[in-house]
Amino acid sequence: MRTVKRVHPVLACVAAAAVMTGCSIEEATCGGGEYPVMSIGGTGGACVPNDEEPPKGYTRYPEGKVPKHVGDKWDTYWQTHTVDEDGKIVEVPQGG
């Protein structure tokens, strides 16, 4: 007995359209006109309008270490690291 797997036609069309148009299906860390910031001493984050400074308790990511997409190299890295009050990159204690 042979099993046939079918791909839903709508999903196939969406995937084909993304490939043909060069669209990425990766979820951006922030929307257009925003940049990501991280909480000082923690692993939380937020998005801030480009023309504003980070709110109290948040800071910009160190240059060259900014996550661009959910699950990318830097997004994953910052799940276990943070910046302390002196701006030093430190590992977050497990469970913290």
Side-chain angles (χ1 to χ4, degrees), residues 8-24:
H8 195 280
V10 173
L11 293 177
C13 290
V14 170
V19 170
M20 290 173 24
T21 61
C23 293
S24 172

Side-chain angles (χ1 to χ4, degrees), residues 92-96:
V92 176
Q94 256 187 321

Side-chain angles (χ1 to χ4, degrees), residues 9-92:
V10 173
L11 293 177
C13 290
V14 170
V19 170
M20 290 173 24
T21 61
C23 293
S24 172
I25 56 173
E26 294 177 313
E27 184 179 350
T29 302
C30 291
E34 298 177 318
Y35 67 94
V37 293
M38 62 187 304
S39 62
I40 297 170
T43 58
C47 294
V48 176
N50 287 339
D51 61 347
E52 293 182 17
E53 290 298 313
K56 185 175 180 163
Y58 288 82
T59 188
R60 294 175 187 264
Y61 285 91
E63 190 173 334
K65 298 180 180 181
V66 181
K68 303 287 186 199
H69 296 97
V70 174
D72 72 12
K73 171 184 171 180
W74 292 115
D75 182 54
T76 302
Y77 177 82
W78 292 113
Q79 291 175 20
T80 58
H81 293 78
T82 191
V83 175
D84 67 14
E85 292 178 356
D86 298 320
K88 181 180 171 188
I89 296 174
V90 295
E91 210 168 322
V92 176

